[in-house]
Amino acid sequence: QVQLVESGGGLVQAGETLRLSCAASGRTFVSYAMGWFRQAPGKEREFVAAISWTYMTYYADSVKGRFTISRDNAKNTVYLQMNSLKPEDTAVYYCAANKSGRIGIQEYEYNYWGQGTQVTVSS
């Protein structure tokens, strides 16, 4: 069992920066792919970014060039650096772990989920 705990959300103005963190329990973190998803009010949860166990990355078009996903296996932590934030980035952001180790963009590909952290971007 893997437990994921997100942190770093908050209220910022458009154009500002936030860094989300997701701390994972368990010694198998290094072999998992990790992803970030988000859910805005009244909308379906959507893929944001993912990083494989080999450090390959993939982004949704809506965040490409603004967000960066990274991982620190020594700390069992994955990060989402969010620059140039826009009001449409407002959502609850979820961290997820994928046992296959490969990049996944669908929710069903992920085995473990965090509780989420709120990001609010004001205009």
Side-chain angles (χ1 to χ4, degrees):
Q1 187 76 9
V2 173
Q3 292 186 324
L4 304 173
V5 179
E6 302 97 334
S7 62
L11 171 63
V12 296
Q13 293 190 331
E16 293 186 340
T17 293
L18 274 177
R19 188 176 81 156
L20 304 184
S21 300
C22 173
S25 65
R27 285 182 264 179
T28 53
F29 175 81
V30 295
S31 66
Y32 287 7
M34 300 297 295
W36 287 96
F37 289 74
R38 66 187 181 187
Q39 187 167 22
K43 294 189 177 182
E44 300 284 319
R45 189 155 56 182
E46 64 176 4
F47 169 78
V48 175
I51 184 166
S52 73
W53 77 280
T54 58
Y55 295 86
M56 290 180 62
T57 59
Y58 188 78
Y59 299 92
D61 287 343
S62 59
V63 306
K64 202 173 295 182
R66 300 188 298 122
F67 290 11
T68 302
I69 189 171
S70 61
R71 64 190 300 160
D72 184 339
N73 288 342
K75 295 182 178 179
N76 275 19
T77 300
V78 62
Y79 303 98
L80 186 68
Q81 178 69 39
M82 304 187 296
N83 299 334
S84 302
L85 282 162
K86 303 176 181 180
E88 50 263 45
D89 295 318
T90 295
V92 177
Y93 283 71
Y94 297 90
C95 170
N98 175 350
K99 290 195 293 187
S100 77
R102 298 185 299 270
I103 294 282
I105 64 172
Q106 303 293 338
E107 291 185 52
Y108 70 81
E109 297 179 271
Y110 290 82
N111 308 96
Y112 305 103
W113 292 83
Q115 294 299 306
T117 185
Q118 177 70 48
V119 171
T120 303
V121 184
S122 64
S123 56

